[in-house]
Amino acid sequence: KKMKKILILALSLFLAGCMVTKMSETSGSYKTISSKEAQQMIEDNKDALILDVRTAAEYESGHIPNAVNLSNEDIQAGKVDSLKDKSQLIMVYCRSGNRSRQAAQKLAELGYTNVVDFGGIQSWQGDIEK
């Protein structure tokens, strides 16, 4: 009987731990929009930070005007000191959309509350500056 109580308690603690882990995994959220929607958002929000998460070499080869470069690798490592305002609108893009999704998720997990992923520069219809 005592063993049964211990087993039930252990199972309860295990399940509670799983629920807490699951909740923390989804605590950070971000929004995903199309590049066309992003163009409009950038026009409407002049103080938005446009974040290019490609490598420095990719950024130099051509980027969206006024975009700031901070590689996905640095974001994954938590090197985000340059992003001071956690409530600022941060609009993230990469080459095809994979790294921007990873970076947006990581930023949300780090407590940034206004993160928007608009995929890859490949689908960008606006200006590109070199």
Side-chain angles (χ1 to χ4, degrees), residues 52 54-64 69 93-95 99 121 128-130:
D52 184 322
R54 299 175 299 159
T55 64
E58 287 175 299
Y59 176 83
E60 292 301 322
S61 72
H63 56 270
I64 295 171
N69 183 228
Y93 76 94
C94 62
R95 184 182 57 82
R99 287 175 286 178
I121 196 169
I128 302 285
E129 90 185 9
K130 293 185 181 192

Side-chain angles (χ1 to χ4, degrees), residues 95-106:
R95 184 182 57 82
S96 64
N98 188 36
R99 287 175 286 178
S100 64
R101 185 174 52 253
Q102 293 171 6
Q105 180 63 48
K106 182 67 174 182

Side-chain angles (χ1 to χ4, degrees), residues 25-91:
E25 284 173 4
T26 58
S27 62
S29 65
Y30 62 95
K31 187 176 179 183
T32 303
I33 62 172
S34 70
S35 62
K36 192 169 188 72
E37 289 171 301
Q39 281 179 281
Q40 189 61 54
M41 258 181 114
I42 290 167
E43 286 176 30
D44 295 344
N45 297 279
K46 296 297 181 197
D47 60 340
L49 173 66
I50 306 164
L51 189 61
D52 184 322
V53 298
R54 299 175 299 159
T55 64
E58 287 175 299
Y59 176 83
E60 292 301 322
S61 72
H63 56 270
I64 295 171
N66 303 315
V68 174
N69 183 228
L70 180 62
S71 77
N72 182 46
E73 289 74 20
D74 284 344
I75 293 169
Q76 294 302 323
K79 299 176 187 172
V80 293
D81 295 342
S82 60
L83 305 176
K84 303 280 185 228
D85 184 355
K86 289 195 172 190
S87 64
Q88 180 180 19
L89 174 57
I90 301 175
M91 303 191 63

Side-chain angles (χ1 to χ4, degrees), residues 13-30:
L13 290 172
F14 173 74
L15 291 174
C18 289
M19 286 170 50
V20 169
T21 302
K22 191 67 183 159
M23 287 182 346
S24 64
E25 284 173 4
T26 58
S27 62
S29 65
Y30 62 95

